[in-house]
Amino acid sequence: QVQLVESGGGLVQAGGSLRLSCEASGLTFSSYTMGWFRQAPGKEREFVAVINWSGVVTNYPGSVKGRFTVSRDNAKNTVLLEMNSLKPEDTAVYYCAADRATGRALRTLPNEYYYWGQGTQVTVSS
């Protein structure tokens, strides 16, 4: 069975850094596009980052571009999200998501992903 497990969340002060990890099992990892999303209380789930099957192509929304970096290690079935210069508005539950790669545009909508992790809390204090 497919399982995505996030780790690395926690409490950090504004301006600090945090690295999130997502370990996947039960799927052929290198055949999947991997995404990161976040959801704050009272808000809809928001796209954070996406990386294609090989790790060569990535995309980010303007809210995190230049501060967050997504990478993957297909040998370890792991995708990482390096978060720098964190802001209080980055506070949310962060989710890892996976969907089979199609060779087309990278997916940025939650409903474009089939598999999801349980999430890890990131809290940024001012």
Side-chain angles (χ1 to χ4, degrees):
Q1 57 187 19
V2 173
Q3 187 175 25
L4 305 177
V5 181
E6 302 96 334
S7 63
L11 175 64
V12 64
Q13 291 188 336
S17 299
L18 209 59
R19 175 181 288 183
L20 304 183
S21 297
C22 174
E23 296 184 62
S25 60
L27 52 76
T28 303
F29 187 69
S30 61
S31 296
Y32 282 77
T33 297
M34 301 298 298
W36 285 97
F37 293 80
R38 65 188 182 187
Q39 189 165 22
K43 296 184 178 181
E44 295 185 344
R45 194 161 296 190
E46 176 190 18
F47 168 68
V48 175
V50 61
I51 186 166
N52 81 325
W53 69 272
S54 67
V56 172
V57 183
T58 60
N59 196 20
Y60 310 86
S63 58
V64 308
K65 188 173 296 184
R67 300 189 298 119
F68 291 10
T69 302
V70 63
S71 61
R72 68 191 296 164
D73 186 339
N74 286 348
K76 298 180 179 179
N77 288 1
T78 299
V79 60
L80 305 176
L81 184 67
E82 183 74 31
M83 305 185 294
N84 300 310
S85 301
L86 284 163
K87 305 174 181 179
E89 49 263 47
D90 294 320
T91 296
V93 176
Y94 283 70
Y95 297 91
C96 176
D99 205 83
R100 181 169 288 278
T102 65
R104 301 184 183 276
L106 297 179
R107 283 149 277 198
T108 61
L109 299 176
N111 63 10
E112 294 177 312
Y113 290 82
Y114 190 77
Y115 299 109
W116 291 84
Q118 293 299 110
T120 185
Q121 176 71 46
V122 172
T123 302
V124 184
S125 62
S126 60

